[in-house]
Amino acid sequence: YPVRSEPRPGQGPTKLETLLDENRGSDQEEGDAPVEIVNFETVHNIDEWGADFVPSMREALRCWNMTVQHWLVMVVYKRFPVRSLRTTMVMLVSSIWHGVHPGYYLSLGSVPLCLMVEDFYRRLIRSRLSDSGKSFYDWVSWFVRMRWFDYLGMGFLLLRVDATLTYWSSVFFVGHLSLAVFYLIGLAVIKPVVGRVWKEKEN
């Protein structure tokens, strides 16, 4: 599509009105045929740099299979009636889209738990930090989410239920346990401390 229409992956043009003007945005001289600048952003499917280096799990997921993600958002996420289960339903449909191997369902079925813990800490801690503090937080967050990717990615590699669970049990289900530990520590310890410190600062 023409660059002037600002296409997005999976969606296509976001400024349809610009396509009605054939001459706008063309590089041409008098008497020459219009030269339309186009790109392939509509079918741009993977942001390789973002998938590896953005700090959060949510951002990283948005960098992978971007055209499919647009479809999942428009067709599944926005239409599913139970708001609290929308992300879970997206992961279920994504698992079906990937195939029939149970490893997909085990891995993608665990993603909503990661997002829940990640969002909890971003609201609790990151939102209150300075710019330098946010930068440090993002580095720590990137390291943690890459370890979650390592752990959950084994379901995509091993595919079978027994093989995936055997691997996860060999590392004591550290990925799932870390989610529970982080969430409980956040609720029982960090949230009260942050709330008390924040209240003192406001006073």
Side-chain angles (χ1 to χ4, degrees):
Y1 287 101
V3 171
R4 59 192 164 92
S5 68
E6 299 184 11
R8 293 178 182 171
Q11 179 177 349
T14 58
K15 293 188 174 181
L16 291 173
E17 67 277 5
T18 65
L19 300 179
L20 300 177
D21 182 356
E22 294 183 355
N23 295 320
R24 185 181 176 186
S26 9
D27 298 326
Q28 59 176 323
E29 295 181 2
E30 189 174 352
D32 291 341
V35 177
E36 184 69 89
I37 302 174
V38 300
N39 65 25
F40 298 91
E41 192 64 20
T42 301
V43 292
H44 179 198
N45 200 41
I46 297 174
D47 176 359
E48 297 88 347
W49 178 267
D52 278 342
F53 294 107
V54 294
S56 72
M57 173 81 79
R58 190 177 295 278
E59 291 171 295
L61 291 174
R62 289 173 180 163
C63 294
W64 196 260
N65 282 339
M66 294 187 291
T67 55
V68 177
Q69 292 229 23
H70 175 75
W71 180 86
L72 287 169
V73 169
M74 299 304 293
V75 176
V76 182
Y77 187 85
K78 290 188 175 182
R79 294 185 181 185
F80 194 71
V82 184
R83 188 177 184 87
S84 61
L85 296 177
R86 285 179 176 178
T87 300
T88 302
M89 185 54 59
V90 165
M91 292 302 152
L92 175 60
V93 175
S94 181
S95 300
I96 296 170
W97 180 85
H98 277 87
V100 298
H101 294 291
Y104 300 141
Y105 297 81
L106 289 172
S107 293
L108 292 175
S110 302
V111 168
L113 301 175
C114 298
L115 297 179
M116 181 184 71
V117 174
E118 183 178 79
D119 291 345
F120 174 72
Y121 273 90
R122 287 177 75 86
R123 290 192 303 269
L124 180 63
I125 297 178
R126 191 184 187 279
S127 62
R128 293 181 167 97
L129 297 176
S130 63
D131 289 342
S132 60
K134 287 179 180 178
S135 180
F136 178 75
Y137 178 96
D138 287 344
W139 277 108
V140 174
S141 176
W142 170 81
F143 179 82
V144 172
R145 76 96 174 164
M146 288 301 289
R147 303 294 72 78
W148 284 339
F149 267 36
D150 295 340
Y151 177 81
L152 296 178
M154 294 305 294
F156 279 73
L157 296 175
L158 299 175
L159 299 178
R160 301 198 321 267
V161 171
D162 58 337
T164 303
L165 293 180
T166 296
Y167 170 75
W168 283 351
S169 65
S170 73
V171 293
F172 307 104
F173 291 94
V174 64
H176 291 92
L177 284 177
S178 69
L179 294 172
V181 170
F182 282 149
Y183 191 69
L184 291 175
I185 289 177
L187 279 178
V189 180
I190 299 178
K191 187 175 182 178
V193 170
V194 169
R196 189 161 55 248
V197 170
W198 195 253
K199 185 178 290 186
E200 290 175 357
K201 281 188 176 181
E202 290 180 340
N203 295 333

